[in-house]
Amino acid sequence: MTTATTDKRELKRIVVKVGSNTLTNDAGAVDRRYIASLADQLSELNRAGHQVVLVSSGAIAAGRELLGLTARPKDMATLQAAASIGQVELIETYSAEFGRCRTMIGQVLLTRYDLDNRHSYNHAVNTFDKLLELGSIPIVNENDTVAIDEINFGDNDTLAALVAEMIGADIVVILTDVAGLYDDDPNLNPDASVVPCLTEIADDLLAETSAGGDAAGLGSGGMRSKLQAAKVLLDADIATVLCNGRDANVVVDAVEGKPQGTFICSNELRKKLGMNELGS
Ligand code: GLU
């Protein structure tokens, strides 16, 4: 595998985050063919020597399907129960598709409160290190039985940032159902285009960005929660790519440095990665 603008060794640890809207088909059901393509891409990166962690939502969507619910439940206990039922189906699907690629996976269910506690934080770090050393791909979701943060606000964007900081990731690839961050609302302005690179995330950009910036419905995140996560990652010297998870080979291309969606990376980090500095 060749790398275009970044050195593979400098992008050793990769977090890939996929949201519910990207994982599901038009009927709202978990799209097995999409999971198969993710398994192919992440297994390819794994075999090429990268250490990959997947943060995946989709438990509630899978649970909804199994329970025969046509709309997202409104009360929290039903959402949590749907997540509990759906997580089994979700991880079974990942297990089958990664198994087809001969890639081992591990399931990690976490909350931010686990990471606030020094002991459980250290235990989680050790488990991630060992899972990666063993060549497996940890698949992380929020433990929705005991926490509701990502159900309410983030669709796992915040969790992905916390995991990336915890494992010392070099890059986070956030797969969404839009092409990246637009310079204007593409629904209102046909000339709106994707911003290819950002070196900082200003507070007014966050304030202007819609909380439901990508397709609403299945997940709870939007473009704002993705930018908030990217801002946390910028402060931790970790690059972020926001891109359309449905584009063919998008994860491998993003890691190889081929332009995909919006690349968010400070000038200091660009220098470390051997890239040109940009005006902000
Ligand atoms: N942990 C939840 C899930 O996997 C978060 C996403 C959501 O709110 O739909 O389904």
Side-chain angles (χ1 to χ4, degrees), residues 20 56-61 72 83 87 90 141-142 144 150-152 155-156 218-220:
S20 308
S56 175
S57 310
I60 292 174
R72 183 178 168 95
Q87 180 65 26
L90 185 66
N141 198 353
E142 182 176 58
D144 293 316
E150 300 292 346
I151 295 178
N152 271 335
D155 198 15
N156 288 347
L218 289 167
S220 46

Side-chain angles (χ1 to χ4, degrees), residues 32-233:
R32 183 155 190 151
R33 271 201 307 188
Y34 182 70
I35 289 192
S37 97
L38 267 185
D40 288 334
Q41 292 183 69
L42 303 195
S43 298
E44 180 182 338
L45 290 170
N46 201 35
R47 281 194 296 272
H50 298 282
Q51 294 184 327
V52 186
V53 174
L54 175 63
V55 177
S56 175
S57 310
I60 292 174
R64 247 181 69 179
E65 193 188 343
L66 289 168
L67 289 165
L69 304 172
T70 47
R72 183 178 168 95
K74 294 215 179 327
D75 72 291
M76 192 48 78
T78 309
L79 283 165
Q80 291 175 281
S84 169
I85 290 164
Q87 180 65 26
V88 181
E89 170 86 359
L90 185 66
I91 208 72
E92 274 182 3
T93 310
Y94 276 121
S95 177
E97 291 302 332
F98 277 101
R100 178 182 52 76
C101 302
R102 308 221 175 285
T103 306
M104 250 187 313
I105 60 165
Q107 177 177 249
V108 180
L109 298 177
L110 276 180
T111 71
R112 68 165 66 216
Y113 308 103
D114 299 323
L115 306 183
D116 282 347
N117 176 291
R118 190 168 55 86
H119 293 294
S120 45
Y121 181 95
N122 288 338
H123 291 314
V125 169
N126 292 340
T127 307
F128 273 113
D129 281 344
K130 189 54 81 178
L131 283 167
L132 295 171
E133 189 189 308
L134 291 169
S136 71
I137 296 188
I139 301 185
V140 184
N141 198 353
E142 182 176 58
N143 185 351
D144 293 316
T145 306
V146 294
I148 57 170
D149 302 69
E150 300 292 346
I151 295 178
N152 271 335
F153 307 111
D155 198 15
N156 288 347
D157 296 319
T158 313
L159 185 63
L162 289 170
V163 168
E165 279 193 89
M166 180 168 60
I167 66 161
D170 301 296
I171 191 166
V172 176
V173 181
I174 299 185
L175 301 175
T176 181
D177 55 357
V178 290
L181 177 72
Y182 281 87
D183 56 4
D184 201 356
D185 186 340
N187 298 315
L188 303 176
N189 178 359
D191 295 327
S193 57
V194 171
V195 179
C197 294
L198 276 180
T199 55
E200 59 178 25
I201 295 173
D203 289 340
D204 53 350
L205 174 65
L206 274 180
E208 281 164 17
T209 306
S210 155
D214 56 359
L218 289 167
S220 46
M223 190 49 77
R224 189 188 293 157
S225 76
K226 288 164 185 55
L227 286 182
Q228 279 165 337
K231 196 173 168 71
V232 169
L233 292 167

